[in-house]
Amino acid sequence: MALPATPRTPGRLVVVQPLKRRRCAGCRRGPLSLLMLEDGAPRCLHCADLGHLVFLPRGDTALTRRAREESTLSAVVVRFNRRRSRYERQGVLVEEAALARAEARCLADAEARRRRRARDGRLRVAEDERFAAAFAAEILRLFPGCPAERARAVAAHASVRGSGRVGRSAAGRALTEGAVISAVVAAVRHVDTPYDQLLMSGVPRYEARRRIAAAVESVLRGWQEAGEEDTG
């Protein structure tokens, strides 16, 4: 049975992964894992003068592109898909030295990306530290009686990058008074009241908040009044 007509790829050599056992029409070597059709007859890569090339499977687009750029001679490798009745690419054949150069280029890019990620990470950490310090300073401005360590803890919790907490909202990043107060109220609710225990016991959230509202207000008022006394 003859091989299906191979796809025409202008300017590119095409090599086939046969589905059936084939022998080279020239040297009779076989069965062939890869062959090239010349006038309809299968030829092994050695007879087709492609025996020095190495196979690069598909999957890494950047490596494939660079290997073909580096290789003076290359070929597309295809295999016939009976279910879809078409040839599909499996990879490329390129010169071994060209593949080595392409891999070196990709590794250099990967290293550059790693260094850039590390540098960007350090910049983000420094930026987050500055923002948390500014957030804590705003807490202390609004609640002068709040212990400094507590203010830093509230700011650090509220401003965690990617957390979705109030400190990462647009209002939080702008250090609006409402956002800062919301962060402090949330912290007091969870740390200074039995709010969490109420939720765990099955009390609905809005009812739990109603029950502890006076306790939250007492803590906030105490932090505000302590500052007023210090300035009085």
Side-chain angles (χ1 to χ4, degrees), residues 176-214:
T176 64
E177 186 171 304
V180 174
I181 291 174
S182 293
V184 174
V185 168
V188 170
R189 184 185 296 135
H190 288 286
V191 175
D192 301 288
T193 76
Y195 178 67
D196 292 350
Q197 290 88 333
L198 291 173
L199 294 180
M200 289 298 293
S201 66
V203 177
R205 181 168 60 90
Y206 288 111
E207 173 61 19
R209 288 194 175 193
R210 187 192 65 79
R211 294 186 189 181
I212 55 90

Side-chain angles (χ1 to χ4, degrees), residues 25-82:
C27 67
R28 305 307 299 166
R29 181 180 301 165
L32 302 176
S33 58
L34 294 172
L35 60 86
M36 191 171 184
L37 289 176
E38 290 183 344
D39 299 324
R43 303 281 179 179
C44 69
L45 297 188
H46 291 284
C47 289
D49 293 331
L50 302 178
H52 63 294
L53 302 183
V54 295
F55 179 59
L56 173 61
R58 66 180 182 179
D60 189 327
T61 304
L63 180 58
T64 297
R65 174 175 53 79
R66 287 175 170 172
R68 294 190 61 186
E69 290 173 353
E70 294 283 350
S71 189
T72 304
L73 182 65
S74 65
V76 177
V77 178
V78 299
R79 183 172 60 202
F80 190 72
N81 186 320
R82 287 197 180 101

Side-chain angles (χ1 to χ4, degrees), residues 113-127 161:
R113 287 193 296 271
R114 185 195 66 78
R115 289 196 301 267
R116 184 167 59 249
R117 286 195 298 269
R119 182 174 63 253
D120 291 346
R122 290 192 295 270
L123 291 174
R124 283 194 297 271
V125 168
E127 178 185 330
R161 186 182 292 268

